[in-house]
């Protein structure tokens, strides 16, 4: 008998013994469950976790179990997440009638016992501790063991027993339920739908679990980093009303960021949090659903808490802080000439409206602060909890560019007075908190939005009546050095990405954001969104975003000739629902002529060219699709038949003649007649207008297909075969030849290669990719 066969036979025997224990025998044999103290510093078991166990968990488990959308809420990305265990409750549930109690690690419960009281069940043994019971009583161990003891297909497509849909029914078994799960679903071992761990990896985790599953936190920040933390906390927590209001504004925009100090040789990241304790004391987190919820204490302190969990690409939003940034913030908020006589409160109707709360801070200061880190602010709704699922994302097109109004043009006295006069019209759905009635709310906000747009349009018609000032000078140029002035957003059906630069072929639509619009998007989709909210809250958020998207598109259209504005707008909203058509065809485009001279019958393309020209000094070219060499460059002009067969995000790894590797992202952009339908997106698809873009590097956090091309000849054959694809069978044949499927016997080797390349090329942006959306084709 081979070593492999002997090992599997032993595994099967052990599994049978575990299953035979049954429900009643666990308590009888090992005693009742009792949470254990597993997280400790400088202990032999904790050291083993950091050195040997954590790397395996990260590369094999956290790629699926790392965030809000982790199956069973099992987050294996930190000791706290492992100790908390799993839950049968869904975080993303678009059908719940009442808001759900939040279950955020560190914030909503502080001890394992508290998590047990909230329905979470352990994946590590919490009964009497012995080497045998630590394995027999561990859901984590038995899930790994189940996979090791059942042969997994090598290559090919997995059967229908494997369900990879995001809304699939989840088992989330307790140890008492595990034996029946193993009988019903012998294929359900972990990693689910992917190859098993190697023998050495399994034995490493087995030994760790057998000894009690002790864990330790990552190293504390360096002394130099701690000094930076102290300096920044002093900056954020000064006593005057002016300082406190500015700190509140900064926090409500940066609270999702992963802050780092690039001038230090320290990999630590930090999160800006609210605490009831001042700097110098241990952080006592203020637990609230939204960053502007009532903290229920007299004084809030803004602290920098070390991020101790694994960095995931899908939630990673790095923000660099240094002395130059400190000086910039001082100039924007503290040196500016304004006074704060009284600090605003936290009543929901007030706190959800930034135009009221921060009215004392000059508009120019607020807007310039957002522009300085525009990609970060947009990432908030791309990588934050709102952006998961097709219904949340079908409010945007699959590929579009974003530019911004220059702050000097957007903060004159007339604009300031417009915002003050219409601050009630700018109120956002978060004022109704997490339980909302969608239909009545939509009607109310539609009226308010229309009133504001009417006033904004009237003001713009007056300001630009001379036909001269509505020109390219309105576009913010990043002060000649800031690449945040131009962004590209890609939607990947149920996820999305934002990057600096105008990336890819000229898109169907574009946005131009002004201050009021940018601020409302942030407070709608980031600061004001509750992932645990009821169906009404989630629907009204999506419906309100319709208004904001339309406004951003209209700002772009207003730069075009009068003769083309309405025509292009109608094309963007072909076949739209009558009620929305009526709304978008009301007078929201300004009547003033453009001051831009156009020379062709394609002014939209000319405007794209002009945006490229004025922003050329700051355009990021890391993802320049024209820089992709032959033969892969041809994938940018594939036939529609071939494009329709593509998944949304594909990673292509090529091996160079010198043995090095290069990564590319192939993106499929779904075309639509319009994006005005909430529940019938399929009925609005314009399949014959789909496009694809290949760019160097990695775009997308959820790869759906992985391809490996080991030679230039393979690249040429791959491109040739792609261009000739006509059917699903053609696609599957190509996957069999060049694809790294879920069933590839060396899947994990290629996964490691992808992450090695990403680590080398992405720098501070690096984080683990998520495999929950890998296709089975």
């Amino acid at each position: 008998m081979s070593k492999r066969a002997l090992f599997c036979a032993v595994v099967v025997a052990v599994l049978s013994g575990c299953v035979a224990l049954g429900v009643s025998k666990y308590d009888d044999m090992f005693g009742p469950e009792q949470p254990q103290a597993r997280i400790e510093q400088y202990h032999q078991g904790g050291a083993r976790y950091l050195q040997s166990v954590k790397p395996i968990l990260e590369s094999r488990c956290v790629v699926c179990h790392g965030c809000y959308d982790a199956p069973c809420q099992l987050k294996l990305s930190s000791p706290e997440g492992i100790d908390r265990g799993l839950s049968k409750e869904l975080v993303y549930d678009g059908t719940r009638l009442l808001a759900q109690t939040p279950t955020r690690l560190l914030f909503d419960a502080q001890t394992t016992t508290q998590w047990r009281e909230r329905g979470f069940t352990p994946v590590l043994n919490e009964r009497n501790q012995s080497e045998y019971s630590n394995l027999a009583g561990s859901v984590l161990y038995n899930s790994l063991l189940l996979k090791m003891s059942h042969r997994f297909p090598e290559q090919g497509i997995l059967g229908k027993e494997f369900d990879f849909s995001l809304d699939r029914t989840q088992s989330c078994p307790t140890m008492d339920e595990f034996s029946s799960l193993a009988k019903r679903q012998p294929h359900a071992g972990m990693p689910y739908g992917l190859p098993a761990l190697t023998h050495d990896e399994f034995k490493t985790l087995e030994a760790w679990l057998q000894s009690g599953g002790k864990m330790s936190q990552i190293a504390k920040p360096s002394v130099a980093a701690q000094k930076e933390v102290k300096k920044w906390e002093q900056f954020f927590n000064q006593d005057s009303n002016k300082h406190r209001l500015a700190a509140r504004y900064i926090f409500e925009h940066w609270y999702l960021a992963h802050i780092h100090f690039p001038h230090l040789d320290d990999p630590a990241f930090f999160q800006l949090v609210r605490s009831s304790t001042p700097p110098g004391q241990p952080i006592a987190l203020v637990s609230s659903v939204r960053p502007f919820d009532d903290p229920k204490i007299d004084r809030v302190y803004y602290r920098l808490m070390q991020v101790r969990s694994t960095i995931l690409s899908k939630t990673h939003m790095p923000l660099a802080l240094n002395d130059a940034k400190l000086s910039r913030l001082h100039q924007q908020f503290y040196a500016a000439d304004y006074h704060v006589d009284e600090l605003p409160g936290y009543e929901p109707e007030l706190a959800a409206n930034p135009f009221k709360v921060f009215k004392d801070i000059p508009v120019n200061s607020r807007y310039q602060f957002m522009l300085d880190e525009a990609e970060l602010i947009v990432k908030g709704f791309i990588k934050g909890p709102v952006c998961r699922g097709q219904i949340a994302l079908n409010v945007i097109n699959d590929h579009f560019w974003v530019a911004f109004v220059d702050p000097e043009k957007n903060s004159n006295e007339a604009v300031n007075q417009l915002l003050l006069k219409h601050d009630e019209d700018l109120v956002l759905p978060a004022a109704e908190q997490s339980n909302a009635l969608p239909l009545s709310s939509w009607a109310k906000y539609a009226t308010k939005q229309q009133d504001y747009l009417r006033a904004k349009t009237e003001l713009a018609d007056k300001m630009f009546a001379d036909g001269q000032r509505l020109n390219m000078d309105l576009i913010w140029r990043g002060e000649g050095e800031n690449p945040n002035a131009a962004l590209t957003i890609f939607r990947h059906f149920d996820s999305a990405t934002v990057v600096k630069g105008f990336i890819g072929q000229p898109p169907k639509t574009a946005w131009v954001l002004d201050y009021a619009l940018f601020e409302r998007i942030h407070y709608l989709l980031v600061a004001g969104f509750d992932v645990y909210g009821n169906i009404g809250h989630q629907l009204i958020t999506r419906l309100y975003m319709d208004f904001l998207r339309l406004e951003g598109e209209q700002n772009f259209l207003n730069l075009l000739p009068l003769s083309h504005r309405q025509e292009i707008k109608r094309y963007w909203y072909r076949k739209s629902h009558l009620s929305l058509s009526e709304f978008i065809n009301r007078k929201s485009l300004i009547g003033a002529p453009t001051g831009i001279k156009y020379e062709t019958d394609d002014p939209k393309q000319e405007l794209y060219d002009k945006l490229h020209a004025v922003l050329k000094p700051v355009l990021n070219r890391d993802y320049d699709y024209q820089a992709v060499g032959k033969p892969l460059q041809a994938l940018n002009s594939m036939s529609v038949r071939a494009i329709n067969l593509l998944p949304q995000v594909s990673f292509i790894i090529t091996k160079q003649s010198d043995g090095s590797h290069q990564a590319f992202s192939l993106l499929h952009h779904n075309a639509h007649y319009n994006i005005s339908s909430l529940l019938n997106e399929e009925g609005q698809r314009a399949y014959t207008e789909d496009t694809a873009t290949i760019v160097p590097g990695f775009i997308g956090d959820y790869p759906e297909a992985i391809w490996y091309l080991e030679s230039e000849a393979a690249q040429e054959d791959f491109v040739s075969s792609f261009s000739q694809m006509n059917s699903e069978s053609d696609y599957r044949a190509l996957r069999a030849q060049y694809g790294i499927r879920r069933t590839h016997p060396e899947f994990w080797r290629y996964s490691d290669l992808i992450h090695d390349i990403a680590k080398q090329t992405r720098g501070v942006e690096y984080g683990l990719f998520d495999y929950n959306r890998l296709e089975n084709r």
Side-chain angles (χ1 to χ4, degrees), residues 4 60 144 147-148 152 190-191 194-198 201 748:
R4 174 70 181 174
R60 303 294 181 259
L144 297 171
K147 185 55 164 277
M148 298 292 288
F152 189 69
M190 298 296 158
L194 290 168
L197 307 185
T198 66
E201 290 168 341
W748 292 117

Side-chain angles (χ1 to χ4, degrees), residues 301-508:
Y301 297 95
Y302 300 100
R303 309 287 302 278
L304 289 174
M305 179 178 70
Q306 184 185 14
V307 177
R308 298 182 301 196
S309 60
T310 303
I311 299 299
L312 310 173
S313 180
K314 61 183 176 182
T315 57
H316 187 38
M317 294 175 265
L319 170 63
L321 296 188
N322 51 31
D323 287 343
K325 175 62 77 172
L326 192 72
S327 176
R328 179 72 162 176
L329 293 176
H330 178 81
Q331 173 193 6
Q332 290 171 335
F333 292 108
Y334 302 151
D337 184 17
Y338 67 97
H339 300 279
V340 181
D341 295 326
E342 183 178 359
L343 290 173
Y346 289 94
E347 300 80 9
E349 297 80 4
L350 172 65
N353 189 334
F355 305 101
K356 285 188 173 183
V357 173
F358 303 108
K359 60 181 176 58
D360 291 332
I361 302 176
V363 169
N364 189 60
S365 295
R366 286 179 266 162
Y367 187 33
Q368 188 63 68
F369 165 80
M370 296 183 73
L371 290 177
D372 283 352
E373 304 291 346
E375 183 193 34
L376 173 77
I377 303 299
V378 174
K379 275 183 179 178
F381 71 84
I382 295 296
K383 291 177 178 270
V386 67
C387 251
R388 190 273 205 185
Q390 171 259 347
I391 290 180
L393 283 162
N394 68 7
V395 72
I396 60 175
N397 280 288
D398 268 42
H399 174 212
F400 59 98
W401 294 343
V402 181
F404 301 89
V405 176
D406 186 274
E408 295 302 322
K409 307 294 192 300
N410 196 218
S411 57
N412 58 44
E413 186 57 30
V415 174
N416 292 344
Q417 289 302 314
L418 174 71
L419 297 181
L420 288 173
K421 183 177 180 181
H422 290 273
D423 59 5
E424 285 292 341
D425 292 331
L426 298 173
V427 67
L428 292 155
E432 300 180 42
Q433 300 189 290
S434 299
N435 288 298
L437 298 174
L439 295 180
S440 60
S441 297
W442 186 89
K444 176 177 69 177
Y445 292 118
T447 300
K448 290 180 178 293
Q449 171 72 358
Q450 197 65 14
D451 290 344
Y452 167 70
L453 281 181
R454 187 181 300 109
K456 176 184 176 182
T457 302
E458 290 174 357
L459 175 62
D461 279 332
K462 292 178 182 178
M463 292 176 63
F464 302 122
D466 61 5
Q468 300 297 318
R469 289 184 292 173
L470 188 59
N471 55 37
M472 297 304 295
D473 290 341
L474 288 172
I475 301 299
W476 180 55
R477 305 187 185 189
E479 300 174 34
E481 60 181 15
N482 192 335
N484 283 280
L487 304 177
T488 298
I489 295 177
F490 297 101
R491 176 195 169 193
H492 318 301
F493 188 67
D494 53 17
S495 67
T497 305
V498 57
V499 293
K500 298 185 184 78
F502 290 148
I503 310 302
Q505 303 93 325
K508 173 184 172 183

Side-chain angles (χ1 to χ4, degrees), residues 109-116:
Q110 281 68 50
T111 67
T112 306
T113 299
Q114 290 173 341
W115 286 119
R116 297 292 169 266

Side-chain angles (χ1 to χ4, degrees), residues 206-218:
E206 181 183 60
W208 167 65
L209 292 166
Q210 193 173 39
S211 63
K214 299 296 184 182
M215 295 173 280
S216 180
Q217 300 291 0
I218 61 175

Side-chain angles (χ1 to χ4, degrees), residues 21 183 204 227 291 358 408 416 454 570 670 688 732:
L21 288 173
K183 292 177 181 177
T204 297
K227 287 182 179 179
F358 303 108
E408 295 302 322
N416 292 344
R454 187 181 300 109
R570 288 196 184 102
N670 291 351
T688 60
R732 291 185 178 185

Side-chain angles (χ1 to χ4, degrees), residues 638-655:
M638 284 186 290
S639 69
V640 170
R641 295 191 311 276
I643 293 173
N644 288 158
L645 292 166
L646 285 174
Q648 298 297 295
V649 178
S650 302
F651 288 169
I652 301 174
I653 307 300
T654 62
K655 187 176 182 179

